Amino acid sequence: MDYNTLLDLVTDLGYRMAVCGAETFRVEESINRILACYGIVSEAFAIPNCLIVSIETPDGKPMTRMRRIGYHGNDLDSVERYSNLSRKICAEKPELSLAAQWMRDTDASCTSYTFPIVLAGSFLGACGFCVLFGGCWLDGICAGLCGLIVGLINRIMDNWKANQFFRIIFAAFFMALPAYGMSILGVAHSADSVAIGALMLLVPGLIFTNAMRDIIFGDTNSGINRIVQVFLIAAAIALGTGAAWNVSVFLWRAPVELPPLVHPYWMQLVACFVGCMGFAILFNIHGPGGLLCALGGLLAWSTYLLVLQLGGGDIMAYFWAAIVSAIYSEKMARVRKYPAISYLVVAIFPLIPGAGVYYTTNYAVRGDMTSFAQQGGHTIAIAGVIAVAILLVSTSVRIWTEWKHRRKA
């Protein structure tokens, strides 16, 4: 057994999974299971920016590999492919040369949407969520145009290899300023709805979801690390949109604030589906998986509307909608043999309080600290109940799975 080759193989596989956006526990479990199938005692330790793998050979010799992990992407299709590769290696236990060939084949099979399609995803995501959060369809088109600006800026920032905090500030500013300008010119009905729709493209949905799942599986360090990233991104969004608001007031005037429109249920569901399909593209989900992810978002928002219709408060509605989306994700993961994160991250996106983040920062910029505290507390409460719902479902599924394994044993 060439232990150096085996160690390099599993470290490279774990690194690829982490860079594509896999959860910490998935990276560690994939590495440890592959090594265990070859009869190797191992320890894998992953945090968002580092991966360490140590093994002990049968003669007692310790060996270690360490990889620094840089920028994390949103490539969930590749997460599925590398996860399936790890299962295949565990099931067939091939020669290392064949396993390395499988790795190269998997690398070659990973595909990404072309840049025009990514821009189309940005347009659909911003347009759909703008309408969902109270804008008219003309507002949705304006939000889609602002979403195209976000997509272009992200591509430029990728080429410049700019850090995430800077790119979020930059994108938030150049997204919000045209939104306010279109409202003042009378092109858009509601500047707030336009800005909120485009702002959803900057909300760290995958990081937030992975943080919750890391905490569930006991990876507290990774979970806290990701939560800190979420807060930093929220601060960057606040700085960018706040600067855009001040520039808008200086150049023109403060945009007229209008209450969000209340659309009929069917229109909300159409807008939700459109927005989720856009995010399925942005998370690089291919084939029927994208449609199933969007259907999960549709199911989540339908649950939210149903709970409200039955007399529940919005916090309770968010809780049950998150429960349903988490159950749906776990079920689809087992039916299609794909990671649950692929379904969960899109399914809960309609529930993520992008509007709350926007209004909280807007009140802070204008110095309305009473409204800032009220809106901020409500936004944190929504994020909290979504997190609790994901924790409850994922923990219950993990306990049930462990019970099944012990029963079979």
Side-chain angles (χ1 to χ4, degrees), residues 43-228:
E43 289 289 344
F45 175 76
I47 54 177
N49 61 349
C50 184
L51 171 64
I52 302 173
V53 184
S54 296
I55 66 172
E56 183 178 333
T57 62
D59 60 0
K61 180 182 178 181
M63 301 176 67
T64 300
R65 293 288 187 277
M66 182 176 69
R67 293 289 298 273
R68 178 169 177 79
I69 302 169
Y71 174 72
H72 289 243
N74 297 324
D75 190 354
L76 296 184
D77 181 71
S78 295
V79 172
E80 292 181 354
R81 293 178 187 272
Y82 288 120
S83 182
N84 290 337
L85 172 62
S86 70
R87 293 192 184 97
K88 183 178 180 181
I89 293 175
C90 291
E92 300 186 24
K93 193 180 175 181
E95 294 292 330
L96 295 184
S97 58
L98 180 57
Q101 182 60 49
W102 288 354
M103 174 79 85
R104 290 190 291 271
D105 292 342
T106 303
D107 291 340
S109 70
C110 292
T111 58
S112 299
Y113 287 112
T114 61
F115 184 54
I117 295 179
V118 172
L119 288 179
S122 298
F123 183 92
L124 291 174
C127 176
F129 283 111
C130 171
V131 176
L132 183 65
F133 293 130
C136 63
W137 284 107
L138 180 59
D139 291 340
I141 294 174
C142 293
L145 295 176
C146 292
L148 293 179
I149 294 174
V150 173
L152 288 170
I153 290 175
N154 282 335
R155 173 56 65 94
I156 294 171
M157 293 294 107
D158 283 340
N159 292 335
W160 291 352
K161 300 188 183 301
N163 68 74
Q164 188 177 39
F165 189 76
F166 177 78
R167 79 166 63 196
I168 295 294
I169 294 176
F170 204 71
F173 176 83
F174 285 101
M175 168 276 298
L177 189 60
Y180 298 144
M182 285 187 283
S183 173
I184 292 169
L185 292 174
V187 178
H189 171 265
S190 170
D192 291 342
S193 297
V194 173
I196 290 167
L199 180 147
M200 291 295 289
L201 301 177
L202 303 175
V203 171
L206 181 59
I207 298 176
F208 175 77
T209 306
N210 277 344
M212 294 302 99
R213 291 176 66 81
D214 284 347
I215 293 172
I216 292 165
F217 289 94
D219 298 311
T220 308
N221 288 335
S222 293
I224 293 174
N225 187 305
R226 295 185 198 274
I227 290 292
V228 171

Side-chain angles (χ1 to χ4, degrees), residues 254-265:
V256 178
E257 294 184 49
L258 298 172
L261 302 175
V262 180
H263 296 300
Y265 291 164

